[in-house]
Amino acid sequence: NAGVTQTPKFRVLKTGQSMTLLCAQDMNHEYMYWYRQDPGMGLRLIHYSVGEGTTAKGEVPDGYNVSRLKKQNFLLGLESAAPSQTSVYFCASSYSNLRQGVTEAFFGQGTRLTVV
Amino acid sequence: AQSVTQLGSHVSVSEGALVLLRCNYSSSVPPYLFWYVQYPNQGLQLLLKYTSAATLVKGINGFEAEFKKSETSFHLTKPSAHMSDAAEYFCAVRGGSQGNLIFGKGTKLSVKP
């Protein structure tokens, strides 16, 4: 199993350019998340999805859009990149069981994005 | 609302010494708590989790954590540090029924030979 795969791993954008980050999971998980990691800030939730066709805003959603057209994929879009969006982006997925509810998250390897 | 505070952004120990990484949480409901490890340029890997069963939780690589409700703490320990333990460690609490995690700011562990 590949687990959670993120594409691309590195990217440099110019201010105002757009791009899409792709996250794919092969574990049949219902829940998927996008986080950003900045030095000294930990990870912060951008958007999440509780199932195919659903998305919701997290803590820091401004400047980002997401889509979950297929259960295994969760796309993060930047319509007009800004230097403040320079960060490492992590996708994660999770599943639910009857006893615990939603369990631990499984993370991808990250995408390092620099906006100049 | 849930939150997590990790005390100490950097911790340095000698190889073979005790590792203690501190985490305090705030939660309005019984918390689900997690410790993740991040090696340089990699994603996050689950070390262990507390889901209201046993208060002493054992994880991978010899790590364990004890849930103390009275102290609202979930500190991570390892009896004897190894060079390979050098990494950044994140404590997290489940933020809601949708499973999102609220992370602490992380503690970078250095291990001296």
Side-chain angles (χ1 to χ4, degrees), chain A residues 6-24:
Chain A
Q6 292 182 232
T7 310
K9 290 183 171 45
F10 302 94
R11 185 73 186 269
V12 178
L13 282 182
K14 293 182 178 178
T15 297
Q17 286 185 319
S18 64
M19 79 164 293
T20 300
L21 282 68
L22 171 64
C23 176

Side-chain angles (χ1 to χ4, degrees), chain A residues 48-65:
Chain A
Y48 65 96
S49 168
V50 300
E52 181 179 319
T54 75
T55 63
K57 294 180 180 180
E59 179 186 355
V60 289
D62 293 343
Y64 305 95
N65 56 75

Side-chain angles (χ1 to χ4, degrees), chain A residues 10-115:
Chain A
F10 302 94
R11 185 73 186 269
V12 178
L13 282 182
K14 293 182 178 178
T15 297
Q17 286 185 319
S18 64
M19 79 164 293
T20 300
L21 282 68
L22 171 64
C23 176
Q25 54 97 2
D26 61 2
M27 297 174 283
N28 201 36
H29 287 173
E30 285 293 330
Y31 301 83
M32 296 188 74
Y33 315 87
W34 278 107
Y35 293 88
R36 60 177 288 172
Q37 181 181 27
D38 302 293
M41 301 287 290
L43 282 78
R44 293 178 292 169
L45 182 68
I46 305 172
H47 285 279
Y48 65 96
S49 168
V50 300
E52 181 179 319
T54 75
T55 63
K57 294 180 180 180
E59 179 186 355
V60 289
D62 293 343
Y64 305 95
N65 56 75
V66 288
S67 64
R68 184 120 180 251
L69 299 179
K70 294 183 178 181
K71 185 177 183 179
Q72 64 267 32
N73 295 338
F74 195 30
L75 278 63
L76 178 71
L78 286 73
E79 289 187 349
S80 180
S84 60
Q85 294 178 303
T86 293
S87 187
V88 182
Y89 292 86
F90 286 99
C91 177
S93 69
S94 189
Y95 65 98
S96 176
N97 64 45
L98 287 176
R99 190 169 66 87
Q100 298 174 1
V102 183
T103 63
E104 72 269 20
F106 295 78
F107 284 81
Q109 295 295 297
T111 296
R112 189 173 296 272
L113 175 66
T114 302
V115 183

Side-chain angles (χ1 to χ4, degrees), chain B residues 60-107:
Chain B
I60 62 171
N61 302 337
F63 284 94
E64 63 182 36
E66 186 171 9
F67 173 73
K68 292 188 177 180
K69 184 177 179 181
S70 61
E71 298 177 8
T72 61
S73 68
F74 190 56
H75 301 331
L76 182 70
T77 60
K78 182 174 180 178
S80 177
H82 192 272
M83 296 296 289
S84 60
D85 295 326
E88 190 158 20
Y89 293 79
F90 292 94
C91 182
V93 63
R94 195 172 74 179
S97 60
Q98 67 274 22
N100 63 294
L101 296 174
I102 297 170
F103 286 88
K105 295 186 177 180
T107 297

